[in-house]
Amino acid sequence: MNRVAKKNYSALWTGLLVTSVLVTGGLAPQQALADTGTTYYVDCSLVAAGDGSRSAPFSSVGEVNAQRYTPGDHILFKSGTQCSGSLQPQGSGTHSQPIVIDKWHDGNNPVIQASTDRHADPAIVLFNQSGWVIRNIDLKGGYWQTLSIMADEPGVFSSYVIENVTVSSNAWQPAFDQWMTGSGGIVIQPCSDKTTLKDITVDSVTSHHNHITGIQLGYHHHQPYDEKGDASSGMSIPGCNMDIPLDKPQPKTGIMDAKIMHSSSHDNDASGIQVFGATNVLIRGNELYRNGSGSTTTIANPTGMNGEGAWWDTTDHVTAEYNNAWGNREGKTGDDGSGLDADRMTTNSLIQYNYLHDNANYGVSVIAGGADSTGIIRYNIMANNGRKFSDAPDVMISRPYPQGQVSNYAVVNNTMVRDWGGQGIRFQAAFDPDANIYAYNNMIARQGASEFISSTSNAMKFDRNLFFTTTGSQYYRFNNIRYSSLSSYQLWSGQDRSSVYKNPFYVLPTSDSYSQPIWPDYSLKSISPMIKAGIDSDVTHVPDYYGRIAEDVSIGAIH
């Protein structure tokens, strides 16, 4: 269960830091592709069939599908044209010689419009194939998915790049309030517990107005959806099932070494990004907004689904950084609606440098279920979360399941501000008694009555935090005992002994409230009591939100 005892605590954080460097190290520009293979041209504005040459292009996706492709081949669609149907090209490439789907000629991206009829195939389908690059193309329609990459044969399938692609409007909609996985804009998943899809890059993609998710990596091992009953919830789409009993965890090797970067996933019924059964995933620099349906009488999306900016479950070493997650909504049941959600059986999550704001519920939620949860939440700016649930904390660590506990979690150097009251950090999970769980160097500022700290256990440590509210009462709850002043809380709980209740004196943001902050937003004024007041450690002594390194650690996300 990857449990790390106190004596190995530093090793845990060092491992997380190293993993972040290794994953982020893959951000170098893609290596030049070998100029080999055959180039095939497609122009769906033509009527006559062709041989795929530039002088006689293919004129339909059916002609493209009839050809088998080999490493280094290119399939180029003419800019500004639209093809109808499902592109299902055959063959596999390699990492150095992938098969490339791209555009030719200057102009707008070509469009592949798949049917939206019941059970219609996606706009692009790859099945048991490796070595593909899909770029500079717009995809629409399909029933379950718009772009599908799946495999069910034992072994490893690898090397997929999807970049500068727009994906939208798959057709399937479940009965209202059914929680489903496997349906959405881009779905990349194994269909067997003996199958791995690895070396995946999703870059500069826009995925919007999809049912259910914008981008999904991995398979959630729920049972297949019962279309006849049409009343099942917590299921996955038909045709891709690992056949794992629900009481057995799925492997974390279905997806390995993946990146979702610089992309926009918005206005989807449920999460902008979903990751399941995966190891080493980087979610970096994405715009994740207005996902989920909401629970009002007039919901934003038709399925009543819970929304998150990004949600991962049964994973190891997911790094989420530099994302802008805002306006994500709860579902019909009132659950979720967070910027980022590290759900069940997530070990070594690293959540850093994100701007998490104006979400219906939490900024970050961590769910302990099934096994231990470990990770770091640091140097994030969280602003005006709790839009629908005003008392929701910015950081929520909980356990709504019978099994599972939290071990080795650090919540450090986060800036949490709100134009009203509400909780700051809430720990209400089961905790490993030997765990190292702490919240240091956080700034929690409110403009209303607030319970800054809330814990149901005494298994964690709080210190060097700054609390402040312009109006209303201050509260602190530790081990389920509530205190109405910082001094009484410090005296009787022994926590936050070096923490202060003072005006933080930070620079109010002046940039567009929906864009990521720019300097000097949220920085510290020279009179701020947070300057050089933090605890230094391997976890905290890294660049701040703006990438600056200081000799002395301050409180909050900016030194």
Side-chain angles (χ1 to χ4, degrees):
M1 293 192 294
N2 294 324
R3 180 179 297 176
V4 182
K6 284 186 177 180
K7 63 181 180 181
N8 296 321
Y9 193 39
S10 297
L12 169 71
W13 301 143
T14 302
L16 280 167
L17 296 173
V18 169
T19 299
S20 178
V21 171
L22 291 174
V23 174
T24 308
L27 297 178
Q30 185 183 342
Q31 66 185 76
L33 304 179
D35 188 16
T36 61
T38 302
T39 298
Y40 298 87
Y41 296 88
V42 188
D43 182 354
C44 289
S45 68
L46 302 176
V47 176
D51 60 9
S53 64
R54 186 157 188 165
S55 58
F58 293 141
S59 61
S60 69
V61 295
E63 294 171 59
V64 180
N65 294 344
Q67 175 74 36
R68 188 169 188 87
Y69 302 93
T70 58
D73 286 351
H74 285 63
I75 306 167
L76 305 183
F77 289 79
K78 188 174 181 179
S79 298
T81 62
Q82 177 171 309
C83 296
S84 298
S86 176
L87 179 64
Q88 302 185 24
Q90 302 303 301
S92 288
T94 65
H95 178 75
S96 60
Q97 292 184 297
I99 302 169
V100 178
I101 297 171
D102 205 339
K103 70 178 181 180
W104 62 285
H105 207 275
D106 294 334
N108 295 331
N109 282 357
V111 176
I112 298 179
Q113 174 69 64
S115 170
T116 55
D117 292 343
R118 188 174 179 85
H119 290 183
D121 288 332
I124 293 182
V125 177
L126 298 175
F127 191 71
N128 289 330
Q129 296 165 261
S130 292
W132 283 83
V133 173
I134 302 170
R135 63 162 69 107
N136 301 323
I137 196 163
D138 294 348
L139 307 174
K140 299 179 180 180
Y143 186 66
W144 296 109
Q145 309 97 12
T146 302
L147 194 166
S148 171
I149 300 175
M150 299 186 188
D152 64 357
E153 294 179 355
V156 177
F157 297 85
S158 66
S159 193
Y160 307 95
V161 176
I162 304 169
E163 58 186 3
N164 193 30
V165 170
T166 298
V167 181
S168 66
S169 308
N170 69 303
W172 179 72
Q173 294 181 31
F176 193 70
D177 192 27
Q178 288 184 342
W179 184 64
M180 299 291 295
T181 60
S183 180
I186 297 174
V187 177
I188 303 175
Q189 63 183 24
C191 304
S192 165
D193 59 356
K194 298 178 177 60
T195 303
T196 296
L197 298 171
K198 67 177 297 185
D199 189 16
I200 301 164
T201 299
V202 177
D203 192 354
S204 303
V205 162
T206 298
S207 188
H208 65 95
H209 293 92
N210 296 292
H211 317 294
I212 295 290
T213 188
I215 302 167
Q216 177 176 318
L217 302 183
Y219 186 89
H220 203 293
H221 76 305
H222 289 112
Q223 299 304 298
Y225 176 59
D226 179 6
E227 292 186 88
K228 293 181 180 180
D230 204 36
S232 301
S233 187
M235 296 294 196
S236 290
I237 56 100
C240 183
N241 183 34
M242 288 188 176
D243 197 28
I244 300 174
L246 291 179
D247 61 345
K248 303 294 183 183
Q250 67 194 72
K252 297 183 179 182
T253 54
I255 297 289
M256 299 195 65
D257 306 329
K259 309 181 190 74
I260 303 174
M261 307 180 300
H262 316 132
S263 294
S264 174
S265 192
H266 65 89
D267 294 289
N268 301 291
D269 287 355
S271 300
I273 292 172
Q274 297 179 170
V275 179
F276 307 128
T279 296
N280 292 337
V281 178
L282 177 65
I283 303 172
R284 189 179 208 233
N286 302 290
E287 298 287 322
L288 308 170
Y289 59 95
R290 292 197 307 257
N291 298 291
S293 296
S295 57
T296 60
T297 54
T298 304
I299 62 171
N301 294 320
T303 61
M305 292 287 291
N306 303 345
E308 312 279 6
W311 166 38
W312 55 99
D313 183 299
T314 317
T315 60
D316 185 45
H317 285 101
V318 169
T319 296
E321 60 185 16
Y322 305 109
N323 300 289
N324 182 17
W326 59 271
N328 296 291
R329 297 175 284 240
E330 80 289 358
K332 178 177 178 288
T333 60
D335 295 320
D336 297 323
S338 305
L340 301 173
D341 183 2
D343 211 316
R344 309 170 314 139
M345 294 179 282
T346 53
T347 50
N348 301 306
S349 294
L350 180 56
I351 300 170
Q352 61 183 2
Y353 310 125
N354 299 285
Y355 185 36
L356 310 172
H357 61 103
D358 297 286
N359 295 290
N361 222 326
Y362 321 115
V364 175
S365 57
V366 176
I367 307 298
D372 283 10
S373 293
T374 62
I376 301 172
I377 302 169
R378 66 182 178 189
Y379 291 100
N380 301 282
I381 295 176
M382 307 184 202
N384 290 333
N385 295 300
R387 281 284 180 183
K388 180 62 183 293
F389 306 99
S390 60
D391 195 44
D394 282 306
V395 176
M396 166 65 128
I397 299 181
S398 65
R399 189 194 75 175
Y401 302 98
Q403 298 84 29
Q405 60 185 1
V406 175
S407 60
N408 300 317
Y409 239 98
V411 181
V412 296
N413 283 96
N414 298 284
T415 292
M416 309 176 197
V417 300
R418 197 171 292 182
D419 292 342
W420 52 89
Q423 291 187 338
I425 300 172
R426 183 191 300 173
F427 287 119
Q428 63 175 44
F431 296 95
D432 182 344
D434 295 324
N436 282 270
I437 303 164
Y438 60 79
Y440 293 166
N441 306 347
N442 299 287
M443 185 266 273
I444 307 174
R446 299 288 190 255
Q447 294 186 31
S450 302
E451 188 172 85
F452 296 110
I453 296 296
S454 177
S455 76
T456 58
S457 168
N458 62 358
M460 67 289 300
K461 298 181 287 292
F462 298 93
D463 207 3
R464 298 291 180 94
N465 300 296
L466 181 141
F467 311 108
F468 185 70
T469 179
T470 56
T471 60
S473 302
Q474 55 173 308
Y475 300 103
Y476 310 83
R477 184 184 300 273
F478 184 75
N479 200 21
N480 259 338
I481 301 174
R482 197 183 202 201
Y483 305 90
S484 58
S485 69
L486 178 61
S487 58
S488 62
Y489 160 59
Q490 291 171 321
L491 175 64
W492 296 105
S493 72
Q495 297 296 311
D496 274 306
R497 288 189 177 276
S498 299
S499 298
V500 295
Y501 179 84
K502 291 183 178 180
N503 190 328
F505 288 110
Y506 67 95
V507 178
L508 291 172
T510 56
S511 57
D512 174 8
S513 61
Y514 293 105
S515 301
Q516 296 209 38
I518 57 175
W519 178 265
D521 291 354
Y522 298 103
S523 65
L524 307 181
K525 297 180 181 180
S526 59
I527 59 173
S528 173
M530 299 192 294
I531 295 174
K532 300 182 180 180
I535 298 174
D536 194 1
S537 70
D538 289 341
V539 180
T540 60
H541 202 248
V542 295
D544 69 2
Y545 183 87
Y546 287 119
R548 306 177 315 149
I549 297 178
E551 290 186 8
D552 298 297
V553 176
S554 295
I555 293 172
I558 301 168
H559 293 319

